Each structure stands twice: as C-alpha cells, then as structure tokens.
Amino acid sequence: MIVVLLGPPGAGKGTQAKVLSQKFGYAHISTGDILRKSVKDGSSVGKLAKTYMDKGELVPDNVVIKLVSDYIVKGHESGDFLLDGFPRTDQQARELDSELKKAQKKVDLVLYFKTSPEISIERLSGRRVCSKCGQNFHIKNMPSKEEGVCDACKGSLITRGDDNVETIKRRLVVYEKETGSLINYYKSQNVLEEVSGNLDVEELFMQIKRFFTKTKKA
Ligand code: AMP
C-alpha cells in the first residue's frame, strides 16, 4: 500500500511515520530528511535547498522531484511505503501519480492530519532533535531524561534551524498556500481520510492503525 501523510508542519506526520514503519514494516520516505541529509553532505543540491529551508519556503519542485524520484521507484519496487512531507504542491502530486502509473500503482491512502496552528507552533518551537540519531524530543511533552542529551544514543540535542517561531509561522502560511489544495485533489480521488493531528502520539496512533496491516518485512 502506498500512503501519503498530509498535514501542516507540526501535525505529527514524521512521528507517526516512524511508529507505523516500526510496527507495520512500511518504508518511510521523508523529503525533509532527504533534503537535510543533502544539506549535511554539502552537495550543490543541499546548498541550494538550504537557502529555501532556512526561510521556511518550499524547495523548488524540479529539485525535490529529482531528489525523491529514486526513492519512490525503490519504495514501490519493494512494496509498501509511507510518504511524509511529499507531495507538497499540485505539481509534485501530479508527478507522483504519473511516476506510480508507470508501474501500474497509485496512491492508495492519504491520511490528512487536520491540526490547529497553535498546536503546530507549540510542538515545533519546543521540539529538540538528536544531532546524532535524529530522535525527536519535546521540552514539555516528551523531555529527555537528561537535559540536552539524547536518551537513545547520548548525542546532543539541537533545535532545528527552521523551528523558530518566525520561520514556523512562515511554514504554516506556505502550507496553506501551496499544500492546502491537495486535500481536495485527494478527496476527488476518494483516497483521503481525515484524522485529528491535535491528538497526542498514542491517541492518534490508535485512530490510524486500523488502516494498516503488517507487511512481510515487519
Ligand atoms: P519537513 O521536515 O517536512 O518539515 O521539511 C522541512 C523543509 O524542507 C520544508 O520547510 C521545505 O523547505 C523543505 N521540504 C521538505 N519537503 C519538501 C517538498 N516536498 N517540497 C518542497 N520543499 C520541501
């Protein structure tokens, strides 16, 4: 099954994707993670992407599509996968459909995490990320045992460059402008299911797990 997780920044898409991939064996493809990796590697694509990411703007479609198309092909060749943070524009959605169509596949399910802006801002501004293993924490909702230190690998916790209030607000505006229309796009394909991104991690997982069954890899 090919699943898209749709919703504003801070809706909990990445957190749920990690839980779903652990419990059900789905591959997790996050364009944000792929882009952050190219920034870290210092590639030319990464350098270009960083200029947009730092401002809370979307990286141009042609760059993102080129970057993820390999992952999408590998994802559908190996079976079930979750897309987290992609597509984010009409063009990306159409490119995804046409890429999948070549393999006689399609997006089977879109989970739309409807989330209030206040919750997004609260979650993202308090988020801390392990610089070594990428595990997420939250200063209030999910603090690490030792301040500034990852529970899992003892790496140091950092605040993502785009998790400051000003950039978060910009990301939310960009989401409404560029990504909001995908709700209707997928509604018209009859694949959209709305859930509440305002719920906490466990409550939301209880709501969405009914859509999934274990894959061979799980
Ligand atoms: P995320 O980790 O999903 O919040 O993404 C972080 C940033 O990466 C976004 O604010 C964008 O600048 C960029 N980004 C991630 N996915 C995409 C995408 N599908 N299209 C354009 N830009 C993206």
Side-chain angles (χ1 to χ4, degrees), residues 64-107:
V64 174
I65 289 164
K66 203 157 163 249
L67 208 61
V68 294
S69 55
D70 263 7
Y71 289 86
I72 291 168
V73 172
K74 275 187 211 130
H76 72 61
E77 279 173 359
S78 65
D80 301 293
F81 69 98
L82 292 159
L83 282 168
D84 158 18
F86 184 89
R88 258 172 154 105
T89 64
D90 286 344
Q91 192 188 338
Q92 292 180 14
R94 285 195 302 271
E95 290 282 348
L96 174 63
D97 281 352
S98 79
E99 193 57 55
L100 292 176
K101 205 169 171 192
K102 287 185 209 155
Q104 278 117 43
K105 303 243 165 104
K106 63 177 186 57
V107 172

Side-chain angles (χ1 to χ4, degrees), residues 31-32 35-36 53 57-59 64 85-86 88 92 160 162 171:
T31 36
L35 287 164
R36 278 184 289 280
M53 294 166 82
E57 303 293 334
L58 293 186
V59 176
V64 174
F86 184 89
R88 258 172 154 105
Q92 292 180 14
R160 246 170 68 172
D162 56 352
R171 287 157 68 195

